């Protein structure tokens, strides 16, 4: 009888916890999704703020989600080349790849901050210094909330997602998130091939008018092959997006030479900085 009581209250605890953490439910398989996120996150480096805080223009920041998880990251303050802080023209929110953390990447985004934009980057929940469980549904919901929050503070709203991050941004756009320009760099077209619901497939979240989106892929990408990235690029082009399948591009931050990396960042900067002319 005592054992039955223990089991009963254990079941109540499990059910109530599942309801409280509904955002963190698995949608791509109860075993597969947690395992894959564990595998991906284990490939990321350990957090180290000393990698990020190399300039007074970079500061730690955080965002508390509606389910009370703290997401930690960094803000690169808007400035010009002499490193004088200036009022931002807008923001750029970057969503990372699945083996990246914020302190690893923030310094490389100087080219955006030095052109007058506040640049934000966060560790996904369960990654780096952020709280919570690593779940795709939760990550998507987090970024929808972050975008809504940043939109309330800035006039110009730019979204930049690489690899998994591009899929997260596409889902935010598909949910109706407001934005002025979005760059999706080397992201998978579909998750449903791997047991996820079709509703989160990036290709199924393209807006009818995709003219504010720039899709980048690379012919030398050895992480996500053309069969995974090209359906999104092709469909986006048919809906008016700008697209590029770079001859010399590998996966983001894995370009084999500096020339290719600089060409990529110039494309990104140009697309964002031309946004006022395109959309005002």
């Amino acid at each position: 009888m005592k054992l039955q009581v223990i089991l009963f209250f254990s079941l109540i605890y499990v059910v109530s916890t599942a309801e409280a953490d509904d955002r963190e439910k698995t949608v791509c398989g109860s075993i597969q999704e947690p395992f894959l996120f564990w595998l991906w996150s284990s490939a990321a480096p350990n957090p180290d703020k000393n990698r990020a805080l190399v300039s007074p223009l970079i500061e730690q920041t955080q965002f508390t989600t509606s389910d009370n998880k703290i997401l930690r990251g960094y803000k690169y303050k808007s400035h010009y080349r002499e490193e004088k802080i200036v009022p931002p023209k807008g923001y750029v929110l970057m969503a990372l790849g699945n083996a990246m953390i914020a302190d690893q990447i923030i310094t490389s985004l100087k080219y955006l901050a030095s052109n007058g934009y506040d640049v934000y980057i966060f560790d996904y929940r369960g990654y780096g210094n952020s709280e919570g469980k690593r779940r795709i549904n939760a990550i998507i919901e987090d970024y929808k909330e972050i975008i809504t929050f940043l939109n309330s503070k800035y006039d110009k709203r730019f979204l930049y997602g690489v690899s998994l991050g591009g899929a997260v941004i596409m889902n935010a756009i598909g949910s109706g998130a407001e934005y002025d320009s979005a760059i999706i760099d080397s992201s998978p077209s579909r998750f449903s091939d791997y047991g996820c619901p079709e509703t989160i497939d990036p290709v199924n979240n393209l807006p009818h008018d995709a003219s504010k989106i720039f899709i980048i892929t690379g012919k030398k990408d050895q992480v996500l092959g053309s069969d995974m990235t090209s359906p999104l690029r092709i469909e986006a082009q048919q809906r008016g997006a700008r697209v590029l399948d770079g001859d010399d591009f590998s996966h983001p931050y894995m370009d084999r030479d500096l020339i290719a990396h600089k060409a990529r960042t110039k494309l990104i900067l140009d697309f964002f900085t031309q946004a006022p002319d395109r959309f005002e």
Side-chain angles (χ1 to χ4, degrees):
M1 182 64 178
K2 184 178 180 180
L3 178 60
Q4 290 176 324
V5 171
I6 293 173
L7 289 174
F8 174 74
F9 282 105
S10 297
L11 179 60
I12 291 177
Y13 172 79
V14 169
V15 171
S16 62
T17 301
E19 290 175 351
D21 295 339
D22 189 57
R23 175 176 295 197
E24 294 182 339
K25 66 184 178 183
T26 58
V27 296
C28 302
S30 59
I31 296 176
Q32 176 175 280
E33 184 177 340
F35 172 74
L36 286 176
F37 269 113
W38 170 82
L39 188 66
W40 292 332
S41 63
S42 66
N46 293 324
D48 180 1
K49 67 179 181 180
N50 294 322
R51 265 196 300 260
L53 300 177
V54 297
S55 165
L57 296 167
I58 300 174
E59 64 182 19
Q60 293 175 291
T61 190
Q62 65 183 46
F63 178 81
T64 302
T65 66
S66 61
D67 64 340
N68 294 314
K69 298 297 189 295
I70 298 175
L71 308 180
R72 296 182 173 89
Y74 296 90
K75 173 186 174 182
Y76 210 138
K77 298 177 185 176
S78 165
H79 65 282
Y80 285 131
R81 289 179 178 82
E82 64 272 21
E83 299 202 347
K84 177 183 178 182
I85 294 176
V86 297
K89 294 180 285 188
Y91 78 83
V92 179
L93 172 65
M94 182 180 182
L96 293 162
N98 58 27
M100 296 176 171
I101 58 173
D103 66 48
Q104 179 188 19
I105 302 297
I106 186 62
T107 57
S108 70
L109 303 179
K110 178 180 174 67
Y111 73 99
L112 296 169
S114 65
N115 277 274
Y117 300 96
D118 282 344
V119 182
Y120 292 85
I121 188 168
F122 294 89
D123 289 329
Y124 291 137
R125 64 168 62 205
Y127 280 71
N129 289 313
S130 291
E131 299 176 351
K133 296 179 182 178
R134 302 177 288 264
R135 300 290 186 270
I136 187 62
N137 180 68
I139 291 171
I140 290 168
E141 292 300 316
D142 291 344
Y143 272 74
K144 288 160 62 175
E145 290 185 356
I146 293 171
I147 292 167
T148 298
F149 172 72
L150 292 176
N151 285 355
S152 70
K153 298 176 61 178
Y154 294 89
D155 292 330
K156 290 298 174 185
R157 309 152 299 180
F158 299 148
L159 309 175
Y160 172 37
V162 302
S163 196
L164 174 68
V168 171
I169 295 297
M170 281 308 314
N171 271 270
I173 290 172
S175 75
E178 301 272 339
Y179 69 105
D180 290 303
S181 288
I183 295 174
I184 310 299
D185 194 348
S186 304
S187 296
S189 303
R190 296 186 177 88
F191 289 138
S192 55
D193 294 340
Y194 305 94
C196 300
E198 292 183 356
T199 53
I200 67 169
D201 282 348
V203 71
N204 290 336
N205 281 276
L206 278 166
H208 179 71
D209 177 2
S211 59
K212 297 192 293 186
I213 298 174
F214 182 14
I215 305 287
I216 300 174
T217 55
K219 288 185 169 65
K220 293 183 178 179
D221 191 338
Q222 296 183 341
V223 176
L224 296 179
S226 177
D227 59 324
M228 296 183 70
T229 60
S230 61
L232 177 63
R233 185 186 71 244
I234 292 168
E235 183 63 28
Q237 185 175 29
Q238 293 175 352
R239 300 188 189 195
R242 179 180 177 184
V243 303
L244 176 69
D245 189 26
D247 291 335
D248 297 320
F249 289 173
S250 300
H251 207 58
Y253 293 90
M254 297 176 68
D255 288 320
R256 296 179 181 179
D257 59 62
L258 188 59
I259 293 174
H261 177 70
K262 286 185 174 181
R264 197 177 206 136
T265 57
K266 186 177 186 304
L267 287 167
I268 292 165
L269 179 62
D270 287 350
F271 190 75
F272 284 148
T273 56
Q274 292 167 12
D277 295 332
R278 293 200 312 273
F279 306 128
E280 282 187 345

